């Protein structure tokens, strides 16, 4: 399949439950409420074996990179294209392409990146919105590194409880409140 047809197929598959283009102007709003690793299955242009490896690594929090997302760039140890696509958000919605044009120049968000070959999945820590990004071919560490990206000082984003509570102190469901 030609590369253009493959990209068109992946965008069409990713947007089956949502708009073709979205504005991600308020990170953290309308966070993805589904199973983060399972969202990778929606990317049908990724080979099934590669999706399984990505999901296993996501469950184990074995990420390749911690990136800093700004309005015009995605910066980490590797170089990444600035575009974000196939973003899962809210209750099972997916956006084909994502604009950050509404971000201020100083707004920065962190994300974990999981790559298998050329397939890269990004999970911002602020919202757990699973999305696709592209690593620049041949890059492995040429990009400017965000400060403090060597190790996370907090737990990676965790799956939502099976009871669908939001996990905050005030909005935790009763079974989850008993666990703490």
């Amino acid at each position: 399949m030609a590369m253009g047809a493959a990209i068109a197929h992946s965008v069409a598959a990713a947007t089956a439950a949502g708009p073709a283009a979205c504005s991600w102007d308020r990170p953290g709003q309308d966070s993805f409420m589904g199973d983060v690793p399972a969202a990778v299955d929606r990317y049908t242009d990724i080979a099934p074996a590669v999706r399984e490896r990505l999901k296993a690594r996501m469950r184990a929090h074995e990420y390749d990179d911690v990136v800093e997302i700004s309005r015009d760039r995605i910066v980490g140890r590797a170089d990444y294209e600035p575009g974000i696509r196939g973003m899962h958000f809210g209750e099972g919605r997916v956006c084909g392409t994502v604009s950050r044009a509404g971000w201020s120049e100083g707004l920065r968000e962190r994300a974990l990146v999981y790559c298998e070959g050329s397939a890269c999945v990004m999970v911002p820590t602020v919202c757990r919105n699973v999305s696709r990004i592209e690593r620049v071919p041949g890059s492995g560490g040429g990009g400017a590194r965000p400060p403090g990206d060597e190790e996370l000082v907090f737990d990676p984003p965790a799956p939502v409880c099976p009871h669908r509570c939001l996990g905050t102190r005030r909005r935790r469901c009763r079974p989850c409140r008993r666990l703490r």
Side-chain angles (χ1 to χ4, degrees):
M1 184 185 295
M3 182 57 98
I7 291 172
H9 177 266
S10 68
V11 170
T15 60
C22 299
S23 177
W24 188 32
D25 290 339
R26 295 185 325 222
Q29 299 293 315
D30 205 11
S31 297
F32 180 56
M33 299 304 293
D35 179 16
V36 170
V40 174
D41 285 330
R42 298 282 299 269
Y43 303 131
T44 56
D45 62 313
I46 299 176
V50 174
R51 289 195 311 256
E52 289 304 316
R53 287 194 304 269
L54 280 168
K55 292 187 313 187
R57 292 184 55 226
M58 291 171 84
R59 285 185 196 100
H61 302 297
E62 294 174 358
Y63 50 90
D64 292 292
D65 207 347
V66 177
V67 297
E68 185 176 83
I69 308 164
S70 65
R71 181 175 61 199
D72 303 314
R73 299 177 56 191
I74 300 173
V75 178
R77 290 186 192 127
D79 295 324
Y80 298 93
E81 297 292 340
I84 298 174
R85 61 187 173 93
M87 181 180 273
H88 292 70
F89 65 99
E91 290 283 343
R93 292 175 301 192
V94 181
C95 184
T97 58
V98 179
S99 168
R100 301 184 306 276
W103 285 29
S104 70
E105 183 61 37
L107 183 59
R108 303 283 188 269
E109 294 296 343
R110 294 251 173 161
L112 306 179
V113 176
Y114 302 85
C115 293
E116 283 290 328
S118 62
C120 292
V121 176
M122 178 176 74
V123 183
T125 57
V126 69
C127 59
R128 305 173 58 248
N129 290 355
V130 181
S131 57
R132 300 275 303 272
I133 60 173
E134 298 293 326
R135 189 167 34 193
V136 173
S139 78
R145 294 172 64 173
D149 77 335
E150 293 78 26
E151 190 139 342
L152 290 178
V153 293
F154 54 87
D155 289 332
V160 174
C161 88
H163 312 103
R164 309 296 271 173
C165 75
L166 298 178
T168 62
R169 286 188 185 137
R170 287 186 225 138
R171 301 195 70 185
R172 219 176 257 143
C173 67
R174 285 180 190 220
C176 289
R177 277 186 255 157
R178 288 187 204 127
L179 293 176
R180 298 247 179 209

